[in-house]
Amino acid sequence: MVNLEWYRTFKEIYENGTLTKASVALYASQPGVSVHLNALEAYVGKKLFERTSRKMIPTEEGKFLYEYIIESINKLEIAEQHFKKTTQEKNPSLHVGMCSEMFQHSIEHEIPKLEFDLVAKFGAHTDLIKDLNNGLLDLVITPRKQSDKKSLVEYTAFSKERIILIAGIKTDTTTVEAHIKSHNYEELEEELQRNTWYSASNEMEHFRRFWYENFKKRPSFKPNYILPNIGSIIRCLSNENGLALVPDFLCHEAISNNEIRRIWDGRVKTENTLYFASRTDLKYKKELKVLQGIFRTKMKTEVD
């Protein structure tokens, strides 16, 4: 008999593209994920993925199987989450989604003080909002507001993040700062491009937007180092050489510790409004307000 966990594993591999990412999503070991996939392929008698060094590419049989089972799997996951909520009256549980940097910055140190259970999920904003709509999450922190009249999701603005130019403490920014002071933006752009740049794979949109709003053109170069997240950038720049464009609240501590320097806020403010996205039918509204209060307090402290 087929094990339903095989299908869930197959779904995560299909959607995440690699065994490593699928294992993270499933809170399982990579060998365990491989065992499930091999068992499912043996059961159906067909190869479901082409293995490459970088990605698992679904075969035609894999694509067909995914389309056939995805609706049922999603319904089972929704039922599972709602069942948990109705059977844990004495210990409420909130499922929240956000980027890993926001979690580490605002909520990680507060978790031991919470009087309710919390399940955190990291991922792309579009995927997290999809899970919120499907009832798999209760709260998402997002810089994007989606409008859908049929949705049970409501958005509440609570803070802003500003994209700023930072430099490692060993970076010679004399010429850059001179051009900023004299408002010589054409020379400034050329000088910036001569430097070593860091960016994050999930923040390239911020990089391009800052550049376009301040220089009225798209950047004509690619960063030297594209890292997994903003935290990696700040750690690499600390006490070293290089430039990066990052949200201001994430580098406040490193700036205060003189590990990096805040070089330029831009001649045009490049800002994102941060929203609480939550379901209107959420049962644990008291616990939701506790979480929202933590985020508001932490973000207000950084803004101040």
Side-chain angles (χ1 to χ4, degrees), residues 1-3 6-7 36-46 48 65:
M1 181 181 293
V2 68
N3 186 331
W6 299 351
Y7 285 133
H36 281 189
L37 176 59
N38 292 336
L40 181 60
E41 287 183 326
Y43 180 83
V44 301
K46 294 179 179 179
L48 300 176
L65 178 61

Side-chain angles (χ1 to χ4, degrees), residues 172-187:
D172 183 0
T173 58
T174 306
T175 305
V176 168
E177 293 179 276
H179 290 322
I180 293 172
K181 188 175 182 179
S182 62
H183 306 291
N184 190 344
Y185 298 115
E186 185 174 338
E187 293 292 331

